[in-house]
Amino acid sequence: MGPHAQAAGAPISDSPTSEAATVVEVAGVDCSFGRVRALDGLSLRVLQGTVVGIVGPNGAGKTTLIDVICGLIRPDRGTVRVLGQDVAVNASAVRAQIGVLPQETALYDEVTALQNLRFAAALYGIPRPNARITEVLELVGLNSRRKDVVRGFSGGMKRRLAIARALLHDPQLLILDEPTVGVDVEARHQIWAHVRSLRAVGRTFVLTTNYLDEAEALCDRVAILRAGKLIAEDTPAALEARTGRCLELECWHEGAARIYERLRRHSGVLRAEIVDFGLRLYLAVDVSPEDIVHEARAVCSIEGFRTRSPDLAEVFRALTAASAPS
Amino acid sequence: MIGRIWGMARNDLAVWLRSPAAIAASLLPALGMGVLVAVLTNSVGQQPVALVVRGHGRFAQRMARIIQGDRDAYLLEKMTSADAERALGDQRVAAIIVIPENFDEALGSGDAAVDVYLNNVNIDLADDIRRSVTRSVAEFDAPQLGLLGELHGPARGVLLPNPYRVAIAEHDLRDTNVSFLQYQVIPIVVLIVISIGLLGTALLTARDFERGTAKMLVISPGGRLPLVIGRLVGGTLITFALITPLVALGFLTRYIPYCAEESEAPRWLTLVLSGPCGWRLPVPSWTHGLALIGLLTAVTLTTVGLGTLLGVALRDARLVTMTALNGAAYMFFLGGGFTTVPFLPDWIQIVSRLVPTRYAIDGLRQALFYPDLIGFGRDILVLSACAVSSVMLASLKLTRAWRRR
Ligand SMILES: Nc1ncnc2c1ncn2[C@@H]1O[C@H](COP(=O)(O)OP(=O)(O)O)[C@@H](O)[C@H]1O
Ligand SMILES: [Mg+2]
């Protein structure tokens, strides 16, 4: 348990089965909007002091999952517990321990940064908030702009102000819905730095993202969502391993097509795709790349080959393609 | 709880005061209407007048026929005295013309009179009636001189020593010292209240959905009720924030006159009513001052509730703006914004009974222009009922709307 967790006196229930406490526990949650199944039998566990990334294409159900965790939407089935409390039962107590950066940023553009934070302080019942407001503004580097109207802020500044607001009541769990959408590279790295430094002091994060490099750079664990279903949940490294090693063969185009036909149904080849320099193959862990190269050479001549581990983008594509709904 | 209510209300006020476009949108139609009213002031239409013929003699009947024949200035309706008095009390007629029982005998002795009871604070309307009665009487006395009668001014409860045999005894039930323009400023004030209450609250509510702040509000701990109350208080504050200086300006420039008489209220009431400039003004009577505050509050709460409902229903700033401004304009016209309701065609009168604006305008005029508060009880009752139901419905709908994003 981090120092801040104790300082805030959070009602964390220690689970005897795991070393770190469970902050979020989503169990068998179904959630439908009319005919759309936004979440489909979803289960997820978030341990204290970790950053969990929810990755998935638009409409995968990321925002819905966040709303369910905050108790904004009551699931049709299943339970959600945050810091040991059932969200459906103790919504208010749970919300006091959650800081949210919503996808829309949701600031009052007409008024100043300071007025936005004062309002949030009133909503969260923070007594004498001025010192705390200065603290969080310093943290996100906006204290010098506190008296400025938010309308004049850049996208990145708005996002950082919204993060400051999420931090205001010193919550145990921070939920960031697509925190770096529409901000420039510099602001993106600033936001990443905030997440890392807060994680270092024991804060727990659930963040959704469309960017796989973000998940890879920030997250301890990544949950991949597709059409409301959790199709994988693991550390980035383990997910990469699961996709298998990536083998790239250099050959001319016609040869690539012939090798593709030959190896497509090979049990050790998870996926194959023809690319401009030749062929890219994803291999199961128990298959030796040399054997595959040997087999390919029997079909046509190979100018060269190399193996590397796949990045998350490739993992994601492999996993989502494999579990495409029928 | 109190902190969250106040936080919400204060935020609404801050956001609104920083929305100049929205403020302009809510004020401009009313100001335009004000200009229109000022321009149209001189073209006053016909007005209903009751004729009570108590004399049964030949001359009395002839006098009645002449008055009835003059259709230029007023819509005449023959009534019994009881009906006429009731109609005058309800502001359904602007005046009663009475041909007394002893008209024929009095004519013989040369001191016959036609009684005119004016219950109208509007000086222009009153003058129209005076002119017309004078003309009718002149026609009775000397048909060929009928037009000359128009040159004669009004009488004040005395028999005019005129060259004719019939005199006009005028009984003014009100001081007719309010100009038509002053009379018409009241609906404009009501229109401004409606516009700000409706548009302001609707915009605040709709924008919350548009920019996702509604979700932020619900995500905060402590439940929705304080926030719903805060929104309604905020809507009331934004209305008062704009209407108070305008009303104060109205008092200072005397476009909104006090009916300051008899019992005097303490100076603080004047200050509350008209802001820091109040020390320069005559002190209103207690009852009238409180009536004014109560009425404005009831109207504000009604429109704030309606605005919230509009914002919840449409959730789109542009749609909300168009609908709110049109709605305010309709409420203004149907409530008798351009003239006194009883002067309008029957079907509008029936419709206007369902429009709260009507009671607001009637009540405000009563509180500001008349020394008594007759009919005010009904107005404030209807408006309070409107305020309570619209605020209750708005709370219910907003609480529901905020449950899901
Ligand atoms: N309030 C809602 N009403 C109806 N459908 C919704 C609502 N919210 C989300 N959905 C649907 O649920 C699915 C998941 O949406 P969402 O959670 O917003 O996805 P993501 O955040 O991953 O882009 C989508 O198909 C979306 O259209
Ligand atoms: Mg989303």
Side-chain angles (χ1 to χ4, degrees):
Chain A
M1 195 182 284
H4 274 250
Q6 279 159 350
I12 291 180
S13 73
D14 280 290
S15 155
T17 52
S18 62
E19 270 181 44
T22 302
V23 174
V24 181
E25 184 155 29
V26 176
V29 161
D30 282 358
C31 187
S32 302
F33 298 106
R35 283 219 219 112
V36 180
R37 253 287 170 79
L39 296 178
D40 191 352
L42 194 115
S43 296
L44 184 69
R45 199 159 195 231
V46 178
L47 297 185
Q48 208 230 315
T50 61
V51 178
V52 171
I54 316 278
V55 179
N58 282 334
K62 305 183 294 291
T63 300
T64 306
L65 175 59
I66 283 178
D67 287 353
V68 164
I69 293 174
C70 299
L72 264 186
I73 295 177
R74 199 162 283 196
D76 306 329
R77 237 158 43 94
T79 58
V80 182
R81 297 176 79 80
V82 174
L83 295 158
Q85 310 215 45
D86 192 330
V87 171
V89 179
N90 282 328
S92 247
V94 166
R95 284 172 186 164
Q97 293 298 329
I98 303 181
V100 181
L101 167 64
Q103 195 169 348
E104 308 92 338
T105 310
L107 295 162
Y108 289 92
D109 277 350
E110 298 88 343
V111 297
T112 63
L114 191 61
Q115 280 172 307
N116 267 285
L117 293 185
R118 284 225 182 101
F119 180 43
L123 287 182
Y124 283 84
I126 299 169
R128 302 184 190 288
N130 287 340
R132 179 65 188 156
I133 287 175
T134 308
E135 203 177 321
V136 292
L137 278 174
E138 290 281 3
L139 188 74
V140 299
L142 284 175
N143 200 27
S144 59
R145 305 291 302 268
R146 60 193 291 157
K147 292 260 167 73
D148 291 356
V149 172
V150 173
R151 186 177 284 130
F153 284 15
S154 69
M157 286 163 73
K158 284 184 187 174
R159 219 48 78 89
R160 272 148 59 206
L161 178 59
I163 290 178
R165 180 182 57 188
L167 292 173
L168 198 61
H169 57 291
D170 202 19
Q172 284 305 300
L173 172 64
L174 280 145
I175 297 184
L176 315 181
D177 198 355
E178 312 214 4
T180 59
V181 152
V183 306
D184 60 27
V185 179
E186 197 188 338
R188 198 164 171 224
H189 284 279
Q190 282 173 336
I191 291 171
W192 286 8
H194 295 321
V195 173
R196 290 200 183 106
S197 61
L198 287 161
R199 178 192 176 276
V201 296
R203 289 311 138 81
T204 309
F205 280 86
V206 172
L207 63 86
T208 74
T209 183
N210 256 320
Y211 304 120
L212 290 146
D213 56 334
E214 185 161 288
E216 208 165 3
L218 280 182
C219 301
D220 299 301
R221 295 183 77 83
V222 174
I224 295 177
L225 224 59
R226 187 195 166 83
K229 283 200 176 78
L230 187 70
I231 56 175
E233 197 266 326
D234 218 324
T235 63
L239 282 174
E240 283 167 12
R242 199 188 291 188
T243 313
R245 232 158 347 146
C246 181
L247 171 64
E248 286 170 349
L249 302 176
E250 273 177 53
C251 56
W252 30 281
H253 195 72
E254 205 176 298
R258 277 162 51 201
I259 302 172
Y260 179 81
E261 277 310 311
R262 168 80 182 265
L263 290 178
R264 210 159 52 115
R265 292 183 211 292
H266 191 288
S267 62
V269 176
L270 300 174
R271 222 155 64 87
E273 55 195 32
I274 294 173
V275 290
D276 50 2
F277 56 79
L279 196 66
R280 183 183 291 142
L281 301 163
Y282 296 94
L283 308 181
V285 272
D286 54 345
V287 175
S288 140
E290 284 74 24
D291 291 351
I292 300 294
V293 173
H294 189 74
E295 257 184 77
R297 284 220 158 105
V299 178
C300 78
S301 70
I302 304 287
E303 289 162 33
F305 69 92
R306 61 179 168 270
T307 59
R308 61 172 175 84
S309 44
D311 61 16
L312 255 184
E314 289 168 324
V315 174
F316 180 71
R317 237 181 309 137
L319 286 172
T320 53
S323 65
S326 49
Chain B
M1 171 90 181
I2 299 291
R4 300 183 81 222
I5 293 177
W6 174 235
M8 181 83 193
R10 194 182 50 181
N11 189 59
D12 277 355
L13 185 63
V15 168
W16 175 252
L17 290 180
R18 298 263 195 155
S19 313
I23 293 177
S26 60
L27 287 182
L28 283 179
L31 296 184
M33 216 69 85
V35 171
L36 204 59
V37 162
V39 169
L40 293 178
T41 293
N42 294 325
S43 53
V44 180
Q46 292 180 317
Q47 39 194 316
V49 170
L51 175 66
V52 178
V53 187
R54 294 166 83 179
H56 299 291
R58 199 158 54 85
F59 292 114
Q61 295 305 322
R62 186 173 146 228
M63 183 78 239
R65 267 203 307 281
I66 289 173
I67 292 175
Q68 278 174 297
D70 186 357
R71 298 184 186 283
D72 281 354
Y74 37 62
L75 296 165
L76 206 64
E77 201 179 330
K78 225 165 144 176
M79 293 186 190
T80 65
S81 5
D83 283 349
E85 262 172 56
R86 208 171 310 124
L88 192 69
D90 296 350
Q91 296 191 30
R92 272 186 290 120
V93 297
I96 307 177
I97 303 171
V98 180
I99 301 172
E101 225 166 330
N102 64 350
F103 187 81
D104 282 39
E105 297 99 76
L107 200 65
S109 56
D111 55 1
V114 172
D115 290 307
V116 178
Y117 296 87
L118 275 174
N119 185 16
N120 203 315
V121 289
N122 176 356
I123 207 159
D124 299 314
L125 297 182
D127 279 348
D128 276 357
I129 295 168
R130 289 182 186 119
R131 263 198 300 276
S132 303
V133 176
T134 312
R135 183 168 57 203
S136 301
V137 167
E139 203 176 322
F140 176 90
D141 284 330
Q144 71 280 18
L145 291 177
L147 275 176
L148 272 180
E150 297 204 346
L151 300 175
H152 282 267
R156 286 195 170 265
V158 289
L159 297 181
L160 277 183
N162 65 12
Y164 313 118
R165 287 174 296 165
V166 180
I168 300 167
E170 181 176 321
H171 309 269
D172 288 334
L173 304 177
R174 313 272 194 224
D175 265 349
T176 47
N177 56 1
V178 177
S179 79
F180 189 61
L181 200 56
Q182 287 175 320
Y183 198 67
Q184 288 300 75
V185 163
I186 298 307
I188 303 291
V189 170
V190 172
L191 177 60
I192 294 176
V193 175
I194 296 174
S195 302
I196 301 171
L198 211 57
L199 177 62
T201 321
L203 263 184
L204 287 171
T205 306
R207 279 197 206 146
D208 269 340
F209 291 107
E210 276 184 346
R211 58 186 160 199
T213 36
K215 193 163 152 181
M216 283 315 295
L217 297 176
V218 191
I219 275 178
S220 68
R224 284 161 290 172
L225 186 64
L227 303 179
V228 170
I229 298 173
R231 164 59 41 84
L232 295 169
V233 173
T236 308
L237 281 184
I238 63 172
T239 313
F240 277 8
L242 286 196
I243 201 70
T244 306
L246 285 177
V247 169
L249 193 72
F251 282 139
L252 272 181
T253 53
R254 314 271 160 161
Y255 274 110
I256 304 178
Y258 279 138
C259 180
E261 276 188 58
E262 305 143 24
S263 67
E264 295 225 322
R267 176 97 10 221
W268 66 260
L269 192 60
T270 323
L271 291 172
V272 167
L273 279 177
S274 50
C277 303
W279 62 271
R280 291 190 51 192
L281 295 166
V283 179
S285 81
W286 257 110
T287 44
H288 284 65
L290 290 180
L292 190 61
I293 295 177
L295 204 89
L296 283 178
T297 308
V299 178
T300 304
L301 286 177
T302 307
T303 53
V304 163
L306 291 178
T308 308
L309 291 172
L310 201 62
V312 167
L314 299 180
R315 302 188 183 196
D316 176 288
R318 212 180 288 190
L319 267 181
V320 149
T321 308
M322 292 190 307
T323 317
L325 291 180
N326 278 309
Y330 275 105
M331 285 172 80
F332 174 77
F333 286 120
L334 291 177
F338 258 142
T339 176
T340 312
V341 177
F343 301 173
L344 294 173
D346 282 349
W347 67 271
I348 298 189
Q349 292 195 36
I350 292 166
V351 172
S352 82
R353 293 225 178 91
L354 305 172
V355 182
T357 331
R358 174 188 173 162
Y359 303 95
I361 294 172
D362 276 3
L364 269 185
R365 280 180 177 155
Q366 191 78 36
L368 284 167
F369 299 152
Y370 298 102
D372 57 68
L373 286 175
I374 295 167
F376 184 81
R378 181 204 58 180
D379 296 333
I380 192 78
L381 206 70
V382 170
L383 287 172
S384 303
C386 286
V388 169
S389 44
S390 112
V391 161
M392 301 264 274
L393 199 62
S395 315
L396 204 73
K397 286 283 174 195
L398 192 58
T399 314
R400 282 231 195 118
W402 276 350
R403 186 151 58 204
R404 286 198 167 186
R405 66 191 141 128

